Amino acid sequence: MESNVRTIPSTLKGKDLLTLLDYSTEEIKYLLERAVELKHAQKHGKMAPLLAGKSLGMIFENASTRTRVSFEVGMTQLGGHALFLSPRDLQIGRGEPICDTAQVLSRYVDAIMIRTNSHKTVEELAKYATVPVINALTDDYHPCQALADMLTVYETKGLYKGLKVSFIGDGNNVAHSLVIICAKLGIDIAVATPPGYELNQSILQKAKEVAKRTGAVIEQTNDPVYAVTGADVIYTDVWASMGYEAEQENRLQIFQPYQVNKSLVKHAKRDFMFLHCLPAHRGEEVTADIIDDPKHSYIYDEAENRLHAQKAILTALL
Ligand code: CP
Ligand code: NVA
């Protein structure tokens, strides 16, 4: 069947997906190209039940629309099954250790997906699980989002190298994963944040090490105009991520000069793409005229691509 053609690199079978830092450029490109094939197969009614009889356990310690629905539907489309597991119902909510949860779930399911705040929790889960663990967002990383983002860029622009991505706002999980994937693919990226909200320096350093090999230029600045100048892609995200709600009022003031609006996007290329992982706050990090402009905004393709990118991940790792 059409959705069965590409050979899966043997290095991906059984691998965790925690940060993408330990994924090679070739592995990432494989996942993106595989996602294109799976998307095509889905649109033409040619999906093969590649994960028949397989189960994915999904632990959600935080809210989600896209991640939950796209993983669950993705497993169904592949002939498998996904279980939504909330800490309210699981024994981890009552203090059962991660090491026991990891080993017990590994006896039932073929992979575990987790969304939580502390990245250490995901690392611990991966350490004890004997099945692949997929990071579905921590305070530091959102690798599944980054794959869907690059799938959207690749579909639209047809290439990776030679592009400039600009991320404006908080140096958060989404920004970190975007910087990592750009470094791996050789895409230039400039990140503009308010002073004090820069990228995590250790993650930035790791991405810069990768960029030395791929030729990507990675810049961190406090100047949004500088970051956006000549950009092919403008990306933003909420100013206060999950877990930082108490800082929302304060951040509204601090981040105001970093709003993506008409006057800022004038500095980008004329055919720039606007991306946002969603959920978005219109009138805060981006104005409605930009996010809702069908000429530039690809947010719904980007959200859809979570489904296809994750099906590529699932069929490769499981
Ligand atoms: N972009 C994203 O991860 O969305 P959800 O929080 O709705 O899953
Ligand atoms: N940075 C946001 C992304 C949500 C998908 C958050 O962590 O809340």
Side-chain angles (χ1 to χ4, degrees):
M1 264 193 151
E2 188 176 345
S3 52
N4 218 352
V5 286
R6 197 173 285 267
T7 318
I8 302 167
S10 56
T11 51
L12 286 176
K13 270 279 161 256
K15 191 165 175 155
D16 296 319
L17 176 53
L18 305 190
T19 68
L20 282 178
L21 279 165
D22 61 341
Y23 275 56
S24 68
T25 300
E26 291 64 38
E27 287 172 334
I28 291 172
K29 282 191 176 164
Y30 163 80
L31 290 173
L32 294 172
E33 282 156 24
R34 184 68 177 133
V36 171
E37 281 177 357
L38 290 168
K39 183 170 184 175
H40 186 265
Q42 181 68 31
K43 303 274 181 206
H44 292 84
K46 290 183 180 164
M47 274 303 300
L50 299 171
L51 296 181
K54 304 251 177 167
S55 298
L56 172 73
M58 307 190 300
I59 304 173
F60 277 98
E61 298 199 321
N62 274 319
S64 168
T65 297
R66 281 142 290 269
T67 306
R68 180 196 171 166
V69 177
S70 56
F71 265 110
E72 190 164 334
V73 169
M75 280 302 286
T76 304
Q77 290 180 354
L78 291 164
H81 178 67
L83 296 94
F84 175 74
L85 306 168
S86 101
R88 219 184 39 197
D89 310 312
L90 288 175
Q91 295 286 11
I92 36 174
R94 295 179 54 246
E96 182 167 16
I98 291 287
C99 62
D100 287 341
T101 305
Q103 290 176 84
V104 170
L105 287 181
S106 297
R107 302 289 178 109
Y108 302 133
V109 300
D110 300 282
I112 304 168
M113 189 232 76
I114 178 164
R115 168 169 287 195
T116 188
N117 286 104
S118 166
H119 192 70
K120 287 219 173 337
T121 304
V122 178
E123 283 173 347
E124 199 183 349
L125 189 74
K127 179 175 164 195
Y128 290 102
T130 55
V131 296
V133 168
I134 300 170
N135 175 4
L137 183 142
T138 60
D139 287 345
D140 297 324
Y141 303 98
H142 199 359
C144 298
Q145 181 68 51
L147 282 162
D149 299 338
M150 284 307 121
L151 175 58
T152 315
V153 170
Y154 183 56
E155 277 182 324
T156 312
K157 301 283 182 192
L159 72 166
Y160 309 108
K161 282 210 177 187
L163 294 176
K164 178 181 173 182
V165 173
S166 161
F167 182 94
I168 310 295
D170 188 20
N172 65 14
N173 42 16
V174 168
H176 290 145
S177 290
L178 195 65
V179 166
I180 291 167
I181 204 164
C182 284
K184 294 272 180 184
L185 292 172
I187 298 175
D188 296 347
I189 179 162
V191 177
T193 70
Y197 295 88
E198 287 90 355
L199 298 164
N200 173 301
Q201 290 308 296
S202 138
I203 298 173
L204 178 61
Q205 265 327 106
K206 286 180 187 146
K208 283 191 168 172
E209 281 303 311
V210 173
K212 279 187 196 158
R213 291 197 302 275
T214 62
V217 176
I218 300 179
E219 293 176 289
Q220 154 87 64
T221 172
N222 300 126
D223 179 354
V225 171
Y226 176 80
V228 156
T229 298
D232 299 280
V233 179
I234 302 177
Y235 201 123
T236 190
D237 184 15
V238 291
W239 289 340
S241 286
M242 288 181 274
Y244 295 81
E245 289 83 358
E247 297 178 22
Q248 171 77 10
E249 281 311 305
N250 194 28
R251 284 177 177 238
L252 276 180
Q253 313 302 319
I254 295 168
F255 281 77
Q256 204 55 53
Y258 296 82
Q259 183 185 66
V260 176
N261 55 31
K262 253 198 188 113
S263 84
L264 185 64
V265 305
K266 274 201 293 228
H267 302 276
K269 290 227 179 93
R270 278 176 57 161
D271 63 345
F272 76 90
M273 295 172 71
F274 174 78
L275 295 180
H276 191 309
C277 58
L278 304 179
H281 294 170
R282 285 169 177 76
E284 292 182 19
E285 72 272 11
V286 58
T287 51
D289 56 347
I290 302 293
I291 195 170
D292 297 323
D293 177 355
K295 241 180 86 197
H296 293 285
S297 180
Y298 288 76
I299 55 168
Y300 301 121
D301 293 312
E302 184 185 7
E304 178 188 334
N305 282 338
R306 292 292 302 277
L307 175 66
H308 310 297
Q310 287 158 194
K311 281 198 290 188
I313 295 167
L314 291 165
T315 52
L317 307 190
L318 266 70

